[in-house]
Amino acid sequence: MTDEPWIPIIRDDGTRERVSLIALFKEGETIRDLAVNPPQRVALMRLLICITQAALDGPQDEKDWFQSQKNLAQNVIVYLEKWGHAFELYGSTPFMQAKDIEPLDNATLDKLNFNLSAGNNSVLFDHQASPSGRVHGPEWCALMLLTFQCFSPGGLIGTTQWGENKTTKTSEHAPAIEGSMIHTYIRGENLLITTWMNLLTKKMIAEFPGMNFGRPIWEDDNILKGDPEAARISTASYLGRLVPLSRAIFLNKNKNFTLANGLSYPKLPAQREPCATVVRRGKGKNEKDIYIAVNLSRHPWRELSSVLSLSKTSIAGGAACLRHLIYIKSDRVDIWTGGMAADKGKILDVAEWNFSLPIEMLNKTELLVYEKGVELARKGEYSLREAVKAWYQEMAVDSKSISYEKALMSYWALLDKQYLVLIRCISSSEPLGQAWFPIICRAMNTGFSNSCPHTTPRQIQAFAIAGQKLRLKKPED
């Protein structure tokens, strides 16, 4: 698939098409971005980064990273020409598939696409679903296979013989969906720059616990054959988990394919995803490291200070690629965040967000100011809750019947639309009390008014008394 078009992209002139891996690097300066959904973007970025770093065998450090941009495309093209056989879907070394596996043909190709009805996937809106599945072309299979290997949720799965061993009937989450993590990437002016800016140096990778640089799965035939020792080495490496073999899959050019459990990759706290954000949460014995997750009801601007954290002394912190930005001469940076939310073996939804941020936000001082603004919003939420609770009490409603949902949805919806004001406070040094504080107060009043009726005399009296709880101390700037 190095010469066959299968990667959806958008050109600088706005046209959309599919390109091959080699064409992507040859023409990368004219490609604005990938034209895919969030999990596909993450999977493709992992593949492009893995190929590039394998081709460079690095970079070693920041100096090497900065210099690698000059001949990046040329080095990758040479690498792809050498390893082109490993990217064929149906060759002797099938791309991202298990070799020497006993065929099961226990799943239809539709299973590879989380949007289609197959297996446990919902039938909602998929009116062409059928038990026998559908026929899909190789370009579709390549993209969906890559995404499936990165994001397949855990659960019961078919068993078969893989090499000298039998696969297990239970599977774990693939590396990119653990904890429904939010992935973070820097976006450049074109796809070639985007790939380059998200490369990690070997020096960075050495800082992560239990992780070495390694090599891609397609470079070691023993991994594809299910050799336990080769699998152990691969799963503990950076390049090995970038393009994972989380499921033992074998495609056979028809509607069905073999699906069984693949390799198991270390999870927090033994190992972490370098493009995700890890925070320390809980107290005392319950304190632990967790990923900032895709939350369908919570805009990630509230976690932006954690996402942008560049801690080097702990497993906690934001995406390691952000450290490159201190060497880039630019006033602003474009950050993409997104991923897939799952509950056990069930896919909930996908989401993505884009942030255009002043480069100053990477400084600790500015991040502290930003966190102060987020904390002020949390205090506003607490005040709103107290006011709603007081209204229900004045109306003599049972405490078990109190509902905060409508008020909080209204409150955070308004702040979600206005969070750029908080970001502007960082870039323009405008006081929080002057720009951000009034927005929070307005959101509190709106949420309270929308959730607490005040039409009858009794409601008006309760509204007036409870409204006195809407108090928020103005920050001293």
Side-chain angles (χ1 to χ4, degrees), residues 347-367:
I347 300 296
L348 299 179
D349 207 343
V350 300
E352 63 181 333
W353 300 269
N354 294 288
F355 296 95
S356 179
L357 306 171
I359 201 71
E360 294 90 346
M361 280 198 66
L362 293 172
N363 299 328
K364 289 185 178 180
T365 303
E366 279 70 17
L367 281 180

Side-chain angles (χ1 to χ4, degrees), residues 254-297:
N254 59 34
K255 294 181 181 180
N256 300 316
F257 71 98
T258 298
L259 174 61
N261 191 29
L263 308 186
S264 178
Y265 293 81
K267 295 176 172 53
L268 282 177
Q271 203 174 90
R272 62 156 287 182
E273 279 291 325
C275 67
T277 300
V278 179
V279 292
R280 194 82 174 160
R281 293 281 165 84
K283 294 182 179 181
K285 295 181 179 180
N286 295 323
E287 188 179 29
K288 62 179 180 179
D289 294 311
I290 63 170
Y291 287 115
I292 295 291
V294 173
N295 189 327
L296 306 180
S297 61

Side-chain angles (χ1 to χ4, degrees), residues 36-54:
V36 291
N37 62 37
Q40 290 170 357
R41 176 182 294 275
V42 172
L44 282 168
M45 284 300 302
R46 293 168 74 98
L47 176 66
L48 298 180
I49 292 169
C50 185
I51 291 172
T52 304
Q53 301 217 223

Side-chain angles (χ1 to χ4, degrees), residues 111-236:
K111 177 72 174 178
L112 294 177
N113 188 338
F114 301 114
N115 295 327
L116 299 182
S117 172
N120 293 328
N121 293 355
S122 174
V123 298
L124 191 62
F125 304 128
D126 186 7
H127 302 299
Q128 296 180 347
S130 67
S132 60
R134 284 157 280 203
V135 176
H136 299 282
E139 71 286 345
W140 183 96
C141 291
L143 179 59
M144 299 306 160
L145 174 63
L146 175 65
T147 308
F148 191 83
Q149 290 283 26
C150 290
F151 282 93
S152 178
L156 294 176
I157 198 168
T159 60
T160 189
Q161 192 72 23
W162 185 17
E164 297 181 358
N165 301 291
K166 195 171 185 65
T167 63
T168 59
K169 65 178 180 179
T170 57
S171 61
E172 299 179 350
H173 281 344
I177 201 176
E178 180 189 348
S180 298
M181 70 180 72
I182 283 182
H183 301 258
T184 302
Y185 294 105
I186 308 169
R187 295 211 305 180
E189 59 192 61
N190 58 57
L191 192 52
L192 201 60
I193 297 296
T194 295
T195 302
W196 170 69
M197 295 186 77
N198 288 283
L199 304 180
L200 301 189
T201 67
K202 286 187 174 182
K203 188 175 180 180
M204 287 180 185
I205 294 164
E207 296 171 2
F208 292 106
M211 185 180 291
N212 57 76
F213 188 70
R215 56 177 176 165
I217 57 173
W218 55 79
E219 288 192 13
D220 189 346
D221 204 44
N222 290 326
I223 299 173
L224 304 181
K225 291 180 178 179
D227 178 78
E229 180 59 19
R232 183 191 64 79
I233 296 173
S234 178
T235 55

Side-chain angles (χ1 to χ4, degrees), residues 391 448-449 452-454 458-468:
W391 183 89
F448 181 61
S449 180
C452 298
H454 45 285
R458 185 181 179 188
Q459 289 175 346
I460 293 173
Q461 182 181 17
F463 190 84
I465 295 174
Q468 298 178 27

Side-chain angles (χ1 to χ4, degrees), residues 381-449:
E381 177 188 9
Y382 176 80
S383 178
L384 176 58
R385 283 178 175 272
E386 290 297 300
V388 172
K389 180 181 178 180
W391 183 89
Y392 275 97
Q393 289 174 341
E394 290 296 325
M395 294 297 293
V397 176
D398 184 2
S399 60
K400 294 181 179 180
S401 302
I402 297 177
S403 174
Y404 302 100
E405 183 177 1
K406 188 174 182 179
L408 297 184
M409 284 183 62
S410 179
Y411 173 76
W412 286 113
L414 196 153
L415 294 186
D416 288 348
K417 294 178 182 179
Q418 298 290 324
Y419 76 91
L420 290 176
V421 173
L422 177 57
I423 292 177
R424 283 200 296 271
C425 288
I426 306 300
S427 57
S428 64
S429 299
E430 189 174 1
L432 292 177
Q434 180 178 325
W436 183 234
F437 178 76
I439 292 175
I440 296 176
C441 292
R442 188 163 62 251
M444 289 164 53
N445 289 318
T446 300
F448 181 61
S449 180

